[in-house]
Amino acid sequence: MTANRYDTLDGWRGLAALAIAFYHLPVAHAFRDLSGWKNLEFFVDFFFVLSGFVICHAWGKRLLTGQDGIVFLQRRFWRVWPLHIIILGAFFLLESAKWLALQKSSGLGADPAFSGPTSVPALLSNILMLQSLNLHGTTTWNGPAWSISAEFWTYLAFAAVMLFARGRLAAMVLIALGGAAIVAIFSPIWLFATHDFGLPRALYGFFAGAITYRLMRLWRVGALAAPGLALEAGVLVTAGLWMALTGKNASSMLAPLVFAAIVMVFSHGTGAISRFLRSKPVQALGLWSYSIYLVHTLIYFGLRFGLVTVEKMTGWKLTFSGDGTLRIFTFGSDLANGAVILALLGLTVAISAYAYRFIEKPFMMMDGSAAKAGKRPEQVSMALR
């Protein structure tokens, strides 16, 4: 940890974003056959826990008045919405191109344009960041952005707790338990919920992270991290075993608690694994993590339509399994598939670097606070992340 940053957690943010991009790859590979493959979805809960932890660190003592609450929500809105809306606009352009192509050749084999997950009503709810409130019965447009919507409305709950709750820690515990209870009772797929019970899932994870930070400050449990590498490796092995063995059952509800333990240990950065997380490449991934999270599905969206078109026009069999947004492709051999996977991940990271520089960073500078302090925007409060 540096003066006002948890560098190792930034590193984890980048690795988690890359893991989700890998999970969504529309290309066949051997890892899909592993029993715990589906559980990579839980890295979304890792994001929720991380956000709760670092936002409680950055804003926990600063939300004192109603004006503070307004400033907090404004800054969070302008942190998450600009990139979301620009990527959504790119999705709209791709869907428009798809519509034009289908007008000229209805036999392309693609799903109808501006229908189902990419309908016009769903576009409006995405613009307003309402897509996590189960308005359409499915994830829509940029699928992973349901979590951006859920987290934004979670910020409102956090601000309310900080401003109005007499017992802040008790209120956090009640909200986390309430979110967990709603998911456990009503979600047919437990913590794998997205558009339907994504908001209570986010409340559970976010406040689990905030509670972890508060407890660390109150009880100084950070002393437990003194063994460094041994504890870091131990918590990762435990988490790895849980990830491999859990599934769509009650054990999935442990995800925020598992990740809270990882966040607690690595927030101190005392071991060799933490040194790796502070390396320049991993820290760069951390800077670009939000862009990676939103950009990768845009690339895959365009790829799917392009390959389906190639299949229809040439007769080449590229589809390995599934259809629509679940369609998986193969390119004839494991070697070829591996090359395509590396190319897609590389393209995602490259575009994300530019998205961070030309979209995220300018909006982080809007209030001028970074310039006044003489700092780069990524050096300002953890709440910017």
Side-chain angles (χ1 to χ4, degrees):
M1 177 181 175
T2 55
N4 66 341
R5 295 192 62 81
Y6 289 96
D7 305 272
T8 50
L9 299 187
D10 284 346
W12 271 120
R13 194 188 305 273
L15 295 180
L18 199 62
I20 290 175
F22 181 62
Y23 173 71
H24 288 143
L25 276 164
V27 180
H29 55 75
F31 291 106
R32 290 183 173 276
D33 297 327
L34 298 178
S35 59
W37 171 251
K38 182 76 174 174
N39 298 330
L40 288 182
E41 289 188 26
F42 287 131
F43 278 110
V44 174
D45 300 283
F46 204 168
F47 283 129
F48 290 147
V49 173
L50 278 173
S51 292
F53 185 93
V54 299
I55 286 179
C56 193
H57 165 71
W59 286 93
K61 294 183 179 180
R62 295 167 60 189
L63 289 171
L64 303 175
T65 68
Q67 183 60 36
D68 295 332
I70 292 173
V71 170
F72 168 70
L73 292 174
Q74 285 177 336
R75 291 190 179 181
R76 296 316 300 164
F77 175 83
W78 289 112
R79 179 64 185 96
V80 300
W81 190 77
L83 181 63
H84 163 64
I85 202 68
I86 289 172
I87 299 299
L88 183 62
F91 268 93
F92 178 80
L93 292 177
L94 282 176
E95 192 72 2
S96 298
K98 177 180 170 182
W99 181 84
L100 288 173
L102 291 172
Q103 297 306 302
K104 294 182 178 180
S105 176
S106 59
L108 287 180
D111 299 323
F114 294 108
S115 64
T118 55
S119 67
V120 173
L123 180 66
L124 178 61
S125 67
N126 275 260
I127 292 172
L128 299 175
M129 290 199 294
L130 298 171
Q131 69 269 34
S132 65
L133 304 182
N134 200 22
L135 299 178
H136 310 288
T138 185
T139 52
T140 56
W141 288 92
N142 189 359
W146 71 266
S147 65
I148 306 305
S149 164
E151 186 166 325
F152 179 76
W153 299 111
T154 299
Y155 298 150
L156 286 174
F158 176 76
V161 168
M162 292 295 103
L163 293 173
F164 304 118
R166 290 186 178 181
R168 291 177 173 178
L169 182 58
M172 290 179 181
V173 171
L174 286 175
I175 293 174
L177 289 176
I182 291 172
V183 173
I185 295 171
F186 297 106
S187 172
I189 52 176
W190 296 90
L191 204 64
F192 289 85
T194 55
H195 63 279
D196 45 6
F197 297 100
L199 181 55
R201 177 183 178 181
L203 289 169
Y204 175 27
F206 183 95
F207 280 97
I211 291 166
T212 300
Y213 180 79
R214 296 278 292 189
L215 291 179
M216 285 179 60
R217 300 290 293 179
L218 288 173
W219 298 341
R220 299 183 183 276
V221 294
L224 295 174
L229 176 60
L231 191 57
E232 289 180 354
V235 75
L236 289 185
V237 169
T238 301
L241 289 173
W242 172 82
M243 286 277 285
L245 297 175
T246 192
K248 291 183 180 178
N249 52 52
S251 67
S252 68
M253 298 300 299
L254 295 174
L257 305 182
V258 171
F259 295 137
I262 292 175
V263 167
M264 185 190 73
V265 170
F266 282 92
S267 64
H268 297 275
T270 55
I273 299 174
S274 288
R275 288 195 290 274
F276 165 73
L277 293 169
R278 287 194 295 268
S279 64
K280 288 185 177 180
V282 180
Q283 287 290 298
L285 289 176
L287 275 185
W288 307 331
S289 59
Y290 182 47
S291 288
I292 291 171
Y293 188 72
L294 290 187
V295 163
H296 75 276
T297 46
L298 175 66
I299 295 171
Y300 303 167
F301 181 86
L303 177 70
R304 281 190 174 97
F305 178 64
L307 292 179
V308 168
T309 302
V310 168
E311 278 189 324
K312 196 65 180 181
M313 295 179 66
T314 65
W316 294 346
K317 178 64 175 176
L318 296 174
T319 297
F320 178 77
S321 64
D323 55 22
T325 58
L326 299 178
R327 191 185 299 264
I328 304 299
F329 299 94
T330 183
F331 298 90
S333 69
D334 291 340
L335 182 62
N337 289 347
V340 172
I341 287 172
L342 290 176
L344 287 173
L345 292 177
L347 180 63
T348 296
V349 171
I351 293 176
S352 297
Y354 278 96
Y356 171 79
R357 180 179 178 183
F358 295 109
I359 301 174
E360 292 186 67
K361 198 171 179 180
F363 278 98
M364 283 193 278
M365 294 290 293
M366 279 184 60
D367 67 347
S369 59
K372 292 175 184 177
K375 300 176 181 179
R376 296 180 300 158
E378 61 267 26
Q379 292 176 316
V380 187
S381 166
M382 282 291 296
L384 288 176
R385 301 305 307 284

